[in-house]
Amino acid sequence: MNEQRGSTEEESIADLARRMVAADTGGWTPDGVRELVAELGWAWNGTAHGPVLTGRPSGDARLRPVGEFEERYVDGESYVELAVPLAAAPPDAAAQATAFRAAQQEVTAALGKPSVMGSHGDMGPFYDSGPIWGAPFMRWRGRPDTLELRAGKTGPELVLQPTDPAENWFWRQGVGEEHSISGFFGSNRDRANGGLGFPGGWTARSWETVTRSLGDFLGGLPAETTALGIRIGMPFYGRTDRGAPILFDMTCGDRLSIGCFAPDGVDPAALGWGSVAEHPGTASVFGDDDPVWRVDGGGPGEPDGRALAELLVATAKAVGVSKPTDLIVGGEAEYVDGYYVTYYGLGLQTG
């Protein structure tokens, strides 16, 4: 059994990431994991939660053994992850997003740009619920193991995991039923993504489903894009008897802004849209008068996702969009900072 690391020794996040990604996990068998713990210089505490990492004030490392919800996705592994909290932060969305952003900058500087990124939404592997403020992640995919930077309950965590179980879980969620999978997932052209598969999504069957899913997506989006250091541009088109014109233009980086292109005969002000004078925060996003109508959703933790979703749905209906399948996310949204992104949490068509 190895000695514990000294309680005054603090390892940088970058160095920890390098050691974790280079570690030999031994197939995630009991013996392999014990050797992994020793290799990383940690101590085994004799419980199901495994090793204790000393010298890091944010908390102990923990192992996740294969249990009822993991069994069907593994192939000989006894454990499916080793998670290490990096930094505890206040519970508000802005603080959590800032802590995640700082950690991702350190890990990216050490390992390069991640091959996969996105948000687990409200259901991560293996049916875990994510933090209320958002569930962003970045993943350095490898074989046989993957390193993930994930939003934990109190702050960002580094998670070493066997690649196949987590990806098997993800693949088998795309069953087409409403809310079968949420969040958004993006992959780039990194060679590490060879053989990576993405499941099919699901389609909303009612405007209430659209309102709920769109509200969940918009409510956490500024915190997640801030944490990930990305900017999403997402046009929405509405299919009516006059064609499929653009209705909304949403952009989200550190703040969420939405513009409305209402046709003649629709009164956006009566629906709840405002001008640039009423939403000056949108001036740096859109031109002075294009679009004329807009709303400022705010920064991390500020958007009222439900209210914004109700505004978009009411406007779409007023324009003549008769059913959810006629509200379409523009294909331009699929390309974000070198990643091809699929938006599972919306339940809307992409075209």
Side-chain angles (χ1 to χ4, degrees):
M1 180 179 297
N2 279 32
E3 295 294 326
Q4 293 186 356
R5 303 171 74 84
S7 61
T8 60
E9 180 184 350
E10 180 66 23
E11 183 177 28
S12 73
I13 291 174
D15 287 341
L16 176 62
R18 291 189 190 99
R19 292 200 307 124
M20 291 180 73
V21 83
D24 181 0
T25 55
W28 295 87
T29 61
D31 288 344
V33 168
R34 283 188 176 273
E35 291 181 10
L36 168 67
V37 170
E39 178 184 349
L40 292 173
W42 299 347
W44 189 272
N45 67 10
T47 74
H49 296 290
V52 173
L53 174 63
T54 61
R56 186 171 294 280
S58 53
D60 296 343
R62 64 186 186 277
L63 279 166
R64 180 170 184 151
V66 172
E68 176 185 358
F69 297 111
E70 298 85 7
E71 283 181 338
R72 66 169 63 181
Y73 308 107
V74 301
D75 184 19
E77 296 92 352
S78 296
Y79 298 88
V80 291
E81 65 180 43
L82 170 65
V84 186
L86 299 178
D92 63 280
Q96 288 289 325
T98 297
F100 188 101
R101 179 71 171 271
Q104 69 97 344
Q105 288 174 335
E106 288 196 51
V107 180
T108 298
L111 302 181
K113 191 172 184 177
S115 50
V116 181
M117 68 85 193
S119 166
H120 288 301
D122 58 9
M123 185 178 70
F126 298 82
Y127 307 104
D128 277 353
S129 58
I132 294 175
W133 69 270
F137 73 91
M138 287 183 158
R139 191 176 293 164
W140 287 262
R141 185 176 188 257
R143 288 291 182 184
D145 302 312
T146 289
L147 184 68
E148 179 173 292
L149 177 66
R150 178 187 303 171
K153 297 186 182 303
T154 61
E157 300 178 342
L158 275 177
V159 182
L160 187 63
Q161 56 192 336
T163 299
D164 285 342
E167 292 186 359
N168 288 343
W169 174 87
F170 180 47
W171 177 260
R172 293 166 70 174
Q173 304 317 305
V175 296
E177 298 178 2
E178 288 189 332
H179 301 293
S180 59
I181 195 168
S182 61
F184 58 92
F185 287 68
S187 63
N188 60 21
R189 294 182 179 274
D190 194 313
R191 293 175 61 184
N193 284 331
L196 176 65
F198 281 71
W202 56 275
T203 301
R205 302 188 182 105
S206 71
W207 284 115
E208 174 54 34
T209 297
V210 172
T211 304
R212 184 165 66 252
S213 59
L214 189 57
D216 290 343
F217 176 77
L218 295 175
L221 191 59
E224 293 180 330
T225 52
T226 296
L228 295 168
I230 62 173
R231 189 177 191 85
I232 291 176
M234 179 178 290
F236 289 80
Y237 298 85
R239 186 184 293 116
T240 69
D241 56 7
R242 297 182 298 277
I246 184 170
L247 298 183
F248 315 116
D249 187 10
M250 185 208 77
T251 182
C252 190
D254 295 335
R255 296 183 69 83
L256 171 64
S257 299
I258 309 175
C260 174
F261 300 89
D264 294 339
V266 174
D267 184 357
L271 291 168
W273 296 93
S275 65
V276 65
E278 295 169 288
H279 299 288
T282 65
S284 61
V285 178
F286 304 117
D288 290 343
D289 57 2
D290 186 22
V292 173
W293 303 101
R294 57 191 68 189
V295 65
D296 182 358
E302 295 178 352
D304 184 335
R306 177 76 186 196
L308 291 171
E310 289 175 348
L311 173 62
L312 296 183
V313 169
T315 304
K317 289 180 177 179
V319 168
V321 179
S322 61
K323 54 185 183 294
T325 51
D326 288 334
L327 185 60
I328 303 164
V329 177
E332 304 95 314
E334 295 177 333
Y335 301 95
V336 179
D337 294 349
Y339 293 89
Y340 179 79
V341 179
T342 300
Y343 299 91
Y344 290 101
L346 293 178
L348 297 175
Q349 302 289 328
T350 301

